[in-house]
C-alpha cells in the first residue's frame, strides 16, 4: 500500500545526535529508526573517542556519506532527513536538507513528506534572515493551520523541539483549536 497513512499519531520522529544537533526523519518505518539509531550511536562514539562534539556541518557530512554508501549497497536506506543544529564556534544556527539519494543542502527553512506540499509556499513568503523565535512560531502556526485545512488525512499536530545555544529543548505548542476553511 502506498500513500498517506497514519501508523502512530504520537511517534517522535526526531533524534538528538549531540548537545546541539537534532535530526528529524521520514521514510520507510524500519529504515528510519535503524538509520537514526546508527547515526546517533556513531556520532556519540566519535565524540567519546575524540573528546569533542561535531558541528552541525560535520554531522551533515557524516550522514550524507553514510547515505551515499548505503545507496550503493544491496539494501539502501529509504530515509529523508532535516538536520538542525547550533554551531557553537560560529555562533549561528544551521539547517540541512538531506534526502535518500544522499543529496545534502544547507537551507534557511525546509519541510519533508506531505507537509512540504502545503508549507513551503508559506515559508517562502514569510521567512526572512533576521527572524525572531516568536515570528518563527507564528509561521509554524500558519503552517499547522494550513495542514489542518488541506491535508487529506486527519492531522494530529506537531511536536516542537528547539535547538539553540543552550542545547535542545521541547517547546510546548498548544494546537487544539479548530481551523475552518475560508
Amino acid at each position: 500500500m502506498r500513500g498517506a497513512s497514519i501508523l502512530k499519531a504520537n511517534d517522535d520522529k526526531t533524534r538528538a545526535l549531540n548537545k546541539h544537533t537534532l535530526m528529524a526523519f521520514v521514510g520507510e518505518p524500519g529504515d528510519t529508526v535503524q538509520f537514526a539509531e546508527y547515526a546517533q550511536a556513531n556520532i556519540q562514539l566519535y565524540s567519546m573517542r575524540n573528546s569533542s562534539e561535531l558541528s552541525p556541518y560535520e554531522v551533515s557530512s557524516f550522514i550524507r556519506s553514510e547515505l551515499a554508501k548505503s545507496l550503493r549497497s544491496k539494501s539502501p536506506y529509504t530515509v529523508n532527513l532535516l538536520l538542525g543544529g547550533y554551531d557553537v564556534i560560529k555562533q549561528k544556527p544551521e539547517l540541512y536538507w538531506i534526502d535518500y539519494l544522499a543529496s545534502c543542502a544547507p537551507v534557511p527553512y525546509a519541510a519533508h513528506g506531505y507537509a512540504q506540499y502545503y508549507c513551503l509556499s508559506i515559508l517562502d513568503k514569510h521567512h526572512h534572515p533576521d527572524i525572531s523565535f516568536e515570528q518563527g512560531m507564528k509561521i509554524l502556526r500558519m503552517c499547522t493551520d494550513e495542514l489542518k485545512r488541506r491535508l487529506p488525512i486527519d492531522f494530529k499536530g506537531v511536536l516542537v523541539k528547539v535547538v539553540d545555544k543552550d542545547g535542545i529543548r521541547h517547546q510546548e505548542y498548544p494546537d487544539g483549536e479548530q481551523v475552518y476553511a475560508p
Side-chain angles (χ1 to χ4, degrees):
M1 182 174 100
R2 292 277 187 212
S5 59
I6 298 172
L7 299 177
K8 194 172 173 187
N10 60 352
D11 196 13
D12 183 2
K13 293 188 176 191
T14 63
R15 194 68 58 135
L17 300 179
N18 59 32
K19 187 178 178 197
H20 291 98
T21 308
L22 182 73
M23 178 174 71
F25 48 87
V26 297
E28 296 295 324
D31 287 354
T32 56
V33 173
Q34 185 178 4
F35 184 77
E37 289 174 353
Y38 172 77
Q40 182 182 38
N42 278 284
I43 289 165
Q44 288 175 351
L45 178 63
Y46 178 91
S47 294
M48 287 188 295
R49 283 184 175 168
N50 297 293
S51 300
S52 69
E53 194 174 279
L54 292 171
S55 71
Y57 172 76
E58 293 164 337
V59 171
S60 72
S61 295
F62 169 75
I63 287 175
R64 195 209 74 71
S65 172
E66 292 303 312
L67 282 173
K69 286 179 201 172
S70 162
L71 193 59
R72 290 158 183 82
S73 72
K74 290 184 179 183
S75 56
Y77 291 110
T78 308
V79 58
N80 295 312
L81 311 162
L82 294 177
L83 184 81
Y86 186 83
D87 192 326
V88 292
I89 295 169
K90 295 180 189 174
Q91 296 291 312
K92 67 175 204 154
E94 295 179 352
L95 178 65
Y96 296 91
W97 180 92
I98 306 170
D99 72 357
Y100 73 101
L101 295 172
S103 299
C104 179
V107 291
Y109 54 84
H112 263 307
Y114 284 105
Q116 71 182 339
Y117 301 123
Y118 306 102
C119 295
L120 286 178
S121 61
I122 294 169
L123 294 167
D124 280 338
K125 183 175 182 180
H126 297 285
H127 181 271
H128 55 85
D130 324 336
I131 195 164
S132 69
F133 177 75
E134 290 76 23
Q135 290 170 322
M137 292 302 284
K138 285 180 185 175
I139 294 172
L140 178 60
R141 172 66 60 202
M142 286 188 263
C143 289
T144 56
D145 287 351
E146 192 68 16
L147 290 171
K148 285 179 186 177
R149 267 189 223 103
R150 297 182 56 205
L151 198 64
I153 57 175
D154 184 22
F155 180 67
K156 301 292 185 190
V158 295
L159 173 67
V160 179
K161 292 190 179 180
V162 178
V163 183
D164 59 13
K165 65 180 184 291
D166 300 322
I168 300 168
R169 70 178 188 278
H170 180 264
Q171 179 69 35
E172 288 300 319
Y173 186 75
D175 198 33
E177 62 191 54
Q178 189 79 4
V179 175
Y180 299 100

